[in-house]
mmCIF file of all heavy atoms in Angstrom:
data_model
loop_
_atom_site.group_PDB
_atom_site.id
_atom_site.type_symbol
_atom_site.label_atom_id
_atom_site.label_comp_id
_atom_site.label_asym_id
_atom_site.label_seq_id
_atom_site.Cartn_x
_atom_site.Cartn_y
_atom_site.Cartn_z
ATOM 1 N N ASN A 443 -24.948 22.195 6.084
ATOM 2 C CA ASN A 443 -24.053 22.906 5.172
ATOM 3 C C ASN A 443 -22.588 22.592 5.422
ATOM 4 O O ASN A 443 -21.712 23.106 4.711
ATOM 5 C CB ASN A 443 -24.260 24.428 5.286
ATOM 6 C CG ASN A 443 -25.478 24.887 4.513
ATOM 7 O OD1 ASN A 443 -26.203 24.079 3.958
ATOM 8 N ND2 ASN A 443 -25.700 26.180 4.479
ATOM 9 N N LEU A 444 -22.309 21.775 6.421
ATOM 10 C CA LEU A 444 -20.932 21.460 6.776
ATOM 11 C C LEU A 444 -20.614 20.002 6.458
ATOM 12 O O LEU A 444 -21.394 19.104 6.753
ATOM 13 C CB LEU A 444 -20.703 21.713 8.265
ATOM 14 C CG LEU A 444 -20.918 23.152 8.750
ATOM 15 C CD1 LEU A 444 -20.761 23.231 10.258
ATOM 16 C CD2 LEU A 444 -19.941 24.101 8.074
ATOM 17 N N HIS A 445 -19.459 19.797 5.856
ATOM 18 C CA HIS A 445 -19.015 18.451 5.489
ATOM 19 C C HIS A 445 -17.636 18.232 6.102
ATOM 20 O O HIS A 445 -16.678 18.945 5.769
ATOM 21 C CB HIS A 445 -18.963 18.311 3.969
ATOM 22 C CG HIS A 445 -20.238 18.726 3.294
ATOM 23 N ND1 HIS A 445 -21.280 17.857 3.061
ATOM 24 C CD2 HIS A 445 -20.644 19.932 2.827
ATOM 25 C CE1 HIS A 445 -22.271 18.507 2.481
ATOM 26 N NE2 HIS A 445 -21.918 19.771 2.326
ATOM 27 N N TYR A 446 -17.547 17.249 6.965
ATOM 28 C CA TYR A 446 -16.314 17.043 7.737
ATOM 29 C C TYR A 446 -15.761 15.642 7.505
ATOM 30 O O TYR A 446 -16.504 14.659 7.485
ATOM 31 C CB TYR A 446 -16.619 17.235 9.221
ATOM 32 C CG TYR A 446 -15.476 16.876 10.149
ATOM 33 C CD1 TYR A 446 -14.278 17.574 10.102
ATOM 34 C CD2 TYR A 446 -15.613 15.830 11.069
ATOM 35 C CE1 TYR A 446 -13.228 17.239 10.968
ATOM 36 C CE2 TYR A 446 -14.587 15.497 11.929
ATOM 37 C CZ TYR A 446 -13.392 16.212 11.883
ATOM 38 O OH TYR A 446 -12.360 15.878 12.722
ATOM 39 N N LYS A 447 -14.431 15.572 7.350
ATOM 40 C CA LYS A 447 -13.777 14.268 7.274
ATOM 41 C C LYS A 447 -12.497 14.308 8.095
ATOM 42 O O LYS A 447 -11.725 15.268 8.030
ATOM 43 C CB LYS A 447 -13.433 13.881 5.830
ATOM 44 C CG LYS A 447 -12.775 12.490 5.751
ATOM 45 C CD LYS A 447 -12.479 12.037 4.346
ATOM 46 C CE LYS A 447 -11.835 10.649 4.370
ATOM 47 N NZ LYS A 447 -11.511 10.146 3.026
ATOM 48 N N PHE A 448 -12.284 13.233 8.841
ATOM 49 C CA PHE A 448 -11.089 13.101 9.673
ATOM 50 C C PHE A 448 -10.363 11.820 9.296
ATOM 51 O O PHE A 448 -10.970 10.761 9.153
ATOM 52 C CB PHE A 448 -11.481 13.054 11.150
ATOM 53 C CG PHE A 448 -10.339 12.743 12.074
ATOM 54 C CD1 PHE A 448 -9.311 13.663 12.257
ATOM 55 C CD2 PHE A 448 -10.288 11.542 12.761
ATOM 56 C CE1 PHE A 448 -8.257 13.383 13.114
ATOM 57 C CE2 PHE A 448 -9.240 11.257 13.629
ATOM 58 C CZ PHE A 448 -8.224 12.182 13.806
ATOM 59 N N ASP A 449 -9.049 11.919 9.113
ATOM 60 C CA ASP A 449 -8.212 10.754 8.846
ATOM 61 C C ASP A 449 -7.164 10.612 9.945
ATOM 62 O O ASP A 449 -6.501 11.595 10.327
ATOM 63 C CB ASP A 449 -7.486 10.889 7.503
ATOM 64 C CG ASP A 449 -8.340 10.452 6.320
ATOM 65 O OD1 ASP A 449 -9.185 9.557 6.500
ATOM 66 O OD2 ASP A 449 -8.164 10.993 5.221
ATOM 67 N N ASP A 450 -7.008 9.390 10.439
ATOM 68 C CA ASP A 450 -5.957 9.067 11.403
ATOM 69 C C ASP A 450 -5.112 7.964 10.777
ATOM 70 O O ASP A 450 -5.444 6.781 10.873
ATOM 71 C CB ASP A 450 -6.578 8.612 12.724
ATOM 72 C CG ASP A 450 -5.553 8.488 13.835
ATOM 73 O OD1 ASP A 450 -4.359 8.754 13.581
ATOM 74 O OD2 ASP A 450 -5.938 8.117 14.970
ATOM 75 N N PHE A 451 -4.052 8.355 10.114
ATOM 76 C CA PHE A 451 -3.258 7.419 9.323
ATOM 77 C C PHE A 451 -2.327 6.586 10.204
ATOM 78 O O PHE A 451 -1.918 7.010 11.288
ATOM 79 C CB PHE A 451 -2.434 8.165 8.274
ATOM 80 C CG PHE A 451 -3.269 8.854 7.226
ATOM 81 C CD1 PHE A 451 -3.427 10.240 7.235
ATOM 82 C CD2 PHE A 451 -3.901 8.131 6.238
ATOM 83 C CE1 PHE A 451 -4.195 10.886 6.279
ATOM 84 C CE2 PHE A 451 -4.672 8.757 5.273
ATOM 85 C CZ PHE A 451 -4.816 10.132 5.298
ATOM 86 N N LYS A 452 -2.000 5.419 9.684
ATOM 87 C CA LYS A 452 -1.081 4.523 10.375
ATOM 88 C C LYS A 452 0.299 4.581 9.701
ATOM 89 O O LYS A 452 0.408 4.730 8.485
ATOM 90 C CB LYS A 452 -1.604 3.082 10.343
ATOM 91 C CG LYS A 452 -3.021 2.921 10.887
ATOM 92 C CD LYS A 452 -3.124 3.376 12.335
ATOM 93 C CE LYS A 452 -4.555 3.223 12.861
ATOM 94 N NZ LYS A 452 -4.694 3.798 14.217
ATOM 95 N N ASP A 453 1.327 4.461 10.521
ATOM 96 C CA ASP A 453 2.714 4.385 10.031
ATOM 97 C C ASP A 453 3.106 5.595 9.185
ATOM 98 O O ASP A 453 3.825 5.480 8.193
ATOM 99 C CB ASP A 453 2.930 3.105 9.213
ATOM 100 C CG ASP A 453 2.664 1.860 10.021
ATOM 101 O OD1 ASP A 453 3.010 1.850 11.213
ATOM 102 O OD2 ASP A 453 2.087 0.902 9.475
ATOM 103 N N ALA A 454 2.612 6.759 9.545
ATOM 104 C CA ALA A 454 3.012 7.994 8.871
ATOM 105 C C ALA A 454 3.405 9.001 9.944
ATOM 106 O O ALA A 454 2.733 9.127 10.962
ATOM 107 C CB ALA A 454 1.865 8.544 8.027
ATOM 108 N N ASN A 455 4.497 9.715 9.717
ATOM 109 C CA ASN A 455 4.895 10.716 10.700
ATOM 110 C C ASN A 455 4.385 12.094 10.304
ATOM 111 O O ASN A 455 3.625 12.233 9.346
ATOM 112 C CB ASN A 455 6.424 10.708 10.903
ATOM 113 C CG ASN A 455 7.185 11.047 9.624
ATOM 114 O OD1 ASN A 455 6.747 11.895 8.832
ATOM 115 N ND2 ASN A 455 8.320 10.400 9.423
#
Side-chain angles (χ1 to χ4, degrees):
N443 280 4
L444 299 176
H445 308 271
Y446 172 63
K447 181 177 180 180
F448 173 69
D449 276 329
D450 190 0
F451 295 106
K452 305 300 179 186
D453 300 322
N455 61 37

